[in-house]
Amino acid sequence: MAKKRVAVLISGRGSNMAALIEAAKAPDYPAEIVLVLSNKADAGGLDTARANGIETAVVDHKAFGGDRAAFDRAMHDVLLAHKIDLVCLAGFMRLVTPEFVGLWSERMLNIHPALLPALKGLDTHRRAIEAHAAIHGATVHFVVPEMDAGPIIIQGAVAVRNDDSESALAARVLTVEHRIYPEALRLVAEGRVTVVDGRCLIDGKPVPDAGTLMPPA
Ligand code: GRF
């Protein structure tokens, strides 16, 4: 089967993007990263992408004033021009419109640094510590119009330590992110993920039964 053509959308350092690029170097990986698209020309991840010989594009949201629909259309045009099959949001810090989400329905993944549906939004690691959570982690999910929601493909968990700092916890969660994102993309690219009534099935089985829960790193 032909490899799926993937675009990774970033706004920053792009460590998840780098994990996807590394995974996709394996000959049997079912997807190839053909484009890294950023809304910021100075996103550090763009250099990493270029160093790996991957084409990059910048669609600067500021050029569109507050017109989110026009910004999303411009991104969509770039994705179409590169014949993209699947989109991975990886630290992409723009809210996308429901219209854009609809165009990429069940073909756009996101990674969120928390165990959804807990801790949507920003500063998840600080909030996990402040809430005295025992377990924290990361989630890869399909993107739906609502932010940090959508069918869960894989989650990975870490234990929160008594003396954890925000940065120490973030680093441990990031290690998990770098494991689960390539695995989630692999499953989707292999066509093994279906969405039934808002929940992902992997090989026809609900996610918790499919053996995709990652134990603590
Ligand atoms: C990650 O923690 C990701 O979960 C969140 O933003 C961060 C991006 O980090 N959505 P990086 O750019 O992939 O290093």
Side-chain angles (χ1 to χ4, degrees), residues 10-17 89-93 110-113 125 138 174 177-178:
I10 64 168
S11 300
R13 68 186 162 181
S15 72
N16 278 289
M17 172 211 74
L89 306 185
F92 183 67
M93 301 305 284
N110 181 46
I111 187 153
H112 179 73
H125 310 304
L174 197 61
E177 294 183 41
H178 296 165

Side-chain angles (χ1 to χ4, degrees), residues 109-112 138-142 151-155 180-181 184:
L109 290 65
N110 181 46
I111 187 153
H112 179 73
T139 303
V140 182
H141 62 96
F142 282 122
I152 289 167
I153 304 167
I154 299 190
Q155 296 188 298
I180 64 175
Y181 212 170

Side-chain angles (χ1 to χ4, degrees), residues 87-133:
V87 175
C88 289
L89 306 185
F92 183 67
M93 301 305 284
R94 302 298 301 168
L95 290 176
V96 288
T97 57
E99 290 72 25
F100 184 78
V101 173
L103 290 167
W104 293 95
S105 178
E106 293 174 23
R107 295 192 298 145
M108 180 155 59
L109 290 65
N110 181 46
I111 187 153
H112 179 73
L115 292 172
L116 293 174
L119 301 176
K120 298 178 180 187
L122 299 174
D123 297 325
T124 56
H125 310 304
R126 181 177 56 72
R127 290 157 60 208
I129 291 169
E130 282 175 3
H132 306 292

